[in-house]
């Protein structure tokens, strides 16, 4: 048996457990889902539980392995969990709705889950209730919105594919420790995963899009630009910008397309590219400055993409700028 737990306030979470002891497995499972409890394991000699979790308290991704035929139940508290079975079998019941197979499904706070698994390998994405609520209210421009979904299954195969694609990207980024430790990147990953979930599952009471007047749109744009320039080094998301500007993300995107021919996210990325270029110009390799380190500082996880954008904007590779 091997067990390791590393957690600290406001830092990434890394949990790893591998055990053949069902009680240790239950304790480990409850580190992710407080009320979770596996039933009696009929054949303990063949039992194995493995758990790996990466992320932070607002967004964490888990990979769980259950060897053996096991049943369990739980009620989620203050978290939304999207479950992606990878191999094996699972039959589940969520507040009376049932499902089976390897399709994606969603657990919501307060819902009772019961599952029977057989040799199951499963991925999960856990999004904090406050993160989901804050994102939804800003996306839809409604501060009274309470997040709730009609059905635990995706509303269409196309939406499920979109969610899977977003998950794969987020999973790959979080797997890089030096990337996952950057607050700018973690904030963006939280946003991407929350928005993908909102788009994938049938949202209860889908709000209509609210249009603002031209004058109100221009005012929101000016407030947003001022905020972006002042907070470019902070781990802000488009939702933070919209909230500061007093509008929804939908209306903010319209305002930016109308006044700047771009999106709020693209505008923020360009500001950070400028800041990264300034750091390259002032950097000194002899002091330990590197292109990758500067790119990560400004929320850019992929060196190739950073190099391409830097060449387009400044006509040379970032490494050449740093060496000058």
């Amino acid at each position: 048996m091997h067990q390791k737990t590393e957690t600290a306030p406001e830092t990434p979470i890394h949990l790893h457990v591998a055990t053949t002891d069902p009680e240790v497995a239950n304790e480990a499972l409850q580190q992710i889902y407080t009320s979770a409890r596996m039933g009696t394991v009929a054949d303990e000699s063949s039992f194995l539980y493995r758990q790996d979790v990466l992320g932070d308290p607002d967004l964490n991704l888990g990979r769980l392995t259950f060897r053996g035929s096991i049943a369990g139940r739980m009620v989620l508290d203050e978290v939304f969990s999207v479950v992606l079975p990878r191999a094996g079998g699972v039959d589940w019941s969520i507040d009376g709705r049932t499902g089976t197979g390897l399709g994606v499904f969603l657990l919501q706070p307060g819902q009772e889950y019961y599952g029977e698994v057989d040799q199951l390998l499963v991925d999960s994405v856990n999004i904090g209730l406050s993160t989901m609520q804050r994102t939804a209210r800003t996306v839809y421009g409604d501060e009274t919105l309470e997040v709730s979904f009609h059905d635990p299954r995706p509303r269409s195969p196309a939406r499920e594919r979109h969610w899977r694609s977003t998950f794969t990207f987020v999973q790959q980024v979080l797997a890089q420790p030096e990337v996952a430790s950057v607050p700018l990147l973690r904030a963006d990953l939280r946003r991407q995963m929350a928005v993908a979930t909102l788009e994938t599952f049938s949202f209860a009471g889908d709000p209509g899009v609210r249009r603002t007047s031209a004058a109100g749109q221009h005012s929101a744009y000016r407030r947003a630009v001022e905020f972006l320039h002042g907070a470019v080094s902070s781990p802000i998301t488009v939702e933070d910008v919209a909230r500061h500007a007093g509008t929804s993300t939908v209306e903010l995107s319209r305002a930016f397309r109308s006044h700047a021919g771009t999106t709020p996210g693209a505008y923020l990325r360009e500001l950070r590219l400028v800041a990264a270029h300034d750091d390259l110009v002032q950097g000194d390799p002899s002091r330990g400055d590197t292109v990758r380190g500067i790119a990560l500082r400004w929320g850019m996880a992929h060196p190739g993409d950073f190099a391409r954008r830097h060449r387009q904007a400044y006509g040379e590779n970032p490494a050449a700028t740093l060496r000058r």
Side-chain angles (χ1 to χ4, degrees):
M1 180 190 73
H2 173 68
Q3 181 170 348
K4 183 172 81 173
T5 301
E6 297 174 11
T7 60
E10 301 180 359
T11 62
I13 291 172
H14 178 201
L15 303 174
H16 172 74
V17 175
T19 182
T20 57
D21 185 331
E23 282 307 309
V24 174
N26 269 316
E27 292 172 5
L29 191 58
Q30 288 166 8
Q31 290 180 292
I32 317 171
Y33 303 112
T34 306
S35 68
R37 182 74 187 176
M38 294 187 303
T40 302
V41 177
D43 182 8
E44 293 192 14
S45 65
S46 65
F47 173 76
L48 172 69
Y49 175 77
R50 183 176 289 114
Q51 164 185 304
D52 287 283
V53 182
L54 293 172
D56 61 34
D58 293 319
L59 170 68
N60 57 79
L61 276 55
R63 171 157 288 188
L64 310 180
T65 301
F66 299 86
R67 193 174 71 193
S69 297
I70 308 157
R73 63 178 68 248
M74 64 183 175
V75 177
L76 293 188
D77 182 25
E78 302 292 310
V79 68
F80 290 86
S81 185
V82 185
V83 179
L84 173 56
R86 291 292 193 183
V90 57
D91 297 312
W92 53 262
S93 171
I94 303 171
D95 277 1
R97 296 176 183 264
T98 60
T100 189
L102 302 182
V104 171
F105 61 93
L106 170 71
L107 308 176
Q108 302 183 63
Q111 289 187 331
E112 183 174 1
Y113 166 84
Y114 174 78
E116 296 180 357
V117 308
D118 183 33
Q119 312 296 339
L120 180 67
L121 171 65
V122 62
D123 287 331
S124 65
V125 175
N126 300 315
I127 306 171
L129 173 60
S130 60
T131 294
M132 187 71 82
Q133 196 95 294
R134 185 171 58 251
T135 302
R137 289 179 176 182
T138 309
V139 165
Y140 297 118
D142 184 351
E143 288 299 318
T144 67
L145 208 56
E146 297 293 330
V147 176
S148 179
F149 297 92
H150 287 303
D151 195 291
R153 290 157 292 211
R155 54 182 176 170
S156 72
R159 292 293 182 177
E160 179 170 347
R161 287 193 297 271
H162 169 67
W163 187 93
R164 286 174 180 262
S165 175
T166 303
F167 166 75
T168 298
F169 169 75
V170 172
Q171 185 183 49
Q172 290 172 346
V173 173
L174 282 179
Q176 306 173 59
E178 73 278 18
V179 174
S181 65
V182 179
L184 294 179
L185 288 169
R186 291 209 311 276
D188 186 56
L189 296 176
R190 284 195 298 269
R191 175 190 182 274
Q192 289 189 50
M193 209 69 255
V195 171
T197 301
L198 289 168
E199 292 176 344
T200 297
F201 298 91
S202 296
F203 193 74
D206 276 328
V209 175
R210 300 193 311 173
R211 291 186 173 274
T212 58
S213 66
Q217 190 181 82
H218 180 66
S219 178
Y221 170 76
R222 285 191 294 102
R223 289 194 298 271
V225 167
E226 181 180 357
F227 177 69
L228 282 166
H229 281 267
V232 65
S233 64
S234 301
I236 59 172
T237 66
V238 174
E239 281 72 37
D240 296 321
V241 181
R243 187 175 294 275
H244 182 87
T247 189
S248 70
T249 54
V250 172
E251 291 301 331
L252 187 67
S253 293
R254 288 199 179 97
F256 267 78
R257 290 194 181 280
S258 175
H259 290 84
T262 188
T263 65
Y267 193 96
L268 177 58
R269 287 191 293 273
E270 288 306 309
L271 288 180
R272 287 174 173 165
L273 179 63
V274 171
H277 174 74
D278 290 344
D279 280 0
L280 289 169
V281 170
Q282 298 171 28
D284 183 351
S286 68
R287 296 198 308 259
D289 293 325
T290 65
V291 171
R292 180 165 176 75
I294 290 171
L296 286 176
R297 183 185 308 153
W298 292 103
M300 289 168 274
H302 301 287
D305 181 60
F306 174 54
R308 177 187 58 79
R309 292 176 56 211
H310 191 273
R311 284 196 302 272
Q312 289 177 342
Y314 298 102
E316 67 178 6
N317 287 322
T321 305
L322 180 60
R323 288 194 301 268
R324 279 197 285 110

